[in-house]
Amino acid sequence: MQKCSIFGKKLNMLISSIMFFVLLLMNPTQNDEAVKALLEKKLADYENTIKSKDIEKLLDMFGPDGSYGNAKDRHEIRMTLASYLNNEIIDFDLTTVKFTMTPTLVNHTGTFKQDIVINGYRKKNNGSFRIVWNKYADGWKIQHMSMTKDVSQ
């Protein structure tokens, strides 16, 4: 009789432990939610900085080893962004779809809509973006960013 009681207690403890870990895996920690909120704010800052055409502030959002599409160093990123910012930007909108997180890296995916005038022609583009955020000593910065236009339009 005593063995069944001990076995039942151990089984209950095992089931409780498994349930705790399942709940932990299924529910993001508050820290994850705080990081997501911070990165959403940084995404909004990026969007507003594009609209205000502040290239220095944009560059500060990238880490020292950051890349933007095929631009692999600071000078190339500056040239790519400067070329884009030379256009008339009517609207630029980024919307998060998903975060995939580790303690020091976040894969951030979403969609974009832009309305710009290039060489006198107004263009509206939609597509997707991917940002890899890295937690550097001075905070979260863009390690890599890419934007892909939806060509099915």
Side-chain angles (χ1 to χ4, degrees), residues 8-25:
K9 287 181 183 179
K10 286 185 178 184
L11 182 60
N12 282 340
M13 285 178 53
L14 178 63
I15 290 171
S16 295
S17 295
I18 290 170
M19 300 239 345
F20 172 77
F21 286 112
V22 167
L23 288 173
L24 186 63
L25 290 173

Side-chain angles (χ1 to χ4, degrees), residues 86-146:
N86 280 334
N87 298 300
E88 180 186 350
I89 300 169
I90 297 168
D91 194 24
F92 184 80
D93 181 56
L94 299 167
T95 304
T96 296
V97 172
K98 183 178 178 183
F99 289 103
T100 306
M101 305 179 72
T102 70
T104 59
L105 285 174
V106 175
N107 187 52
H108 186 174
T109 56
T111 59
F112 74 86
K113 294 179 184 178
Q114 66 179 359
D115 188 358
I116 61 176
V117 178
I118 302 173
N119 297 325
Y121 295 98
R122 187 169 181 175
K123 293 185 80 169
K124 292 184 178 189
N125 294 315
N126 296 326
S128 60
F129 73 83
R130 177 176 180 240
I131 300 173
V132 176
W133 297 96
N134 191 339
K135 188 174 185 182
Y136 295 91
D138 59 342
W140 290 95
K141 296 197 176 223
I142 299 169
Q143 184 174 4
H144 177 75
M145 182 172 189
S146 60

Side-chain angles (χ1 to χ4, degrees), residues 26-92:
M26 292 178 67
N27 292 320
T29 65
Q30 188 167 5
N31 189 35
D32 285 352
E33 293 304 317
V35 170
K36 287 178 185 178
L38 174 68
L39 296 181
E40 282 289 357
K41 182 181 179 325
K42 287 187 170 287
L43 187 69
D45 289 347
Y46 183 89
E47 187 178 299
N48 290 328
T49 305
I50 285 284
K51 292 174 184 174
S52 69
K53 299 185 175 190
D54 185 342
I55 195 161
E56 295 306 319
K57 187 172 178 184
L58 284 170
L59 287 171
D60 286 343
M61 299 178 98
F62 285 83
D65 57 345
S67 62
Y68 182 81
N70 292 327
K72 303 298 180 202
D73 63 32
R74 204 62 144 185
H75 175 72
E76 289 179 5
I77 294 171
R78 176 186 293 279
M79 299 306 291
T80 301
L81 290 172
S83 174
Y84 179 78
L85 296 178
N86 280 334
N87 298 300
E88 180 186 350
I89 300 169
I90 297 168
D91 194 24
F92 184 80

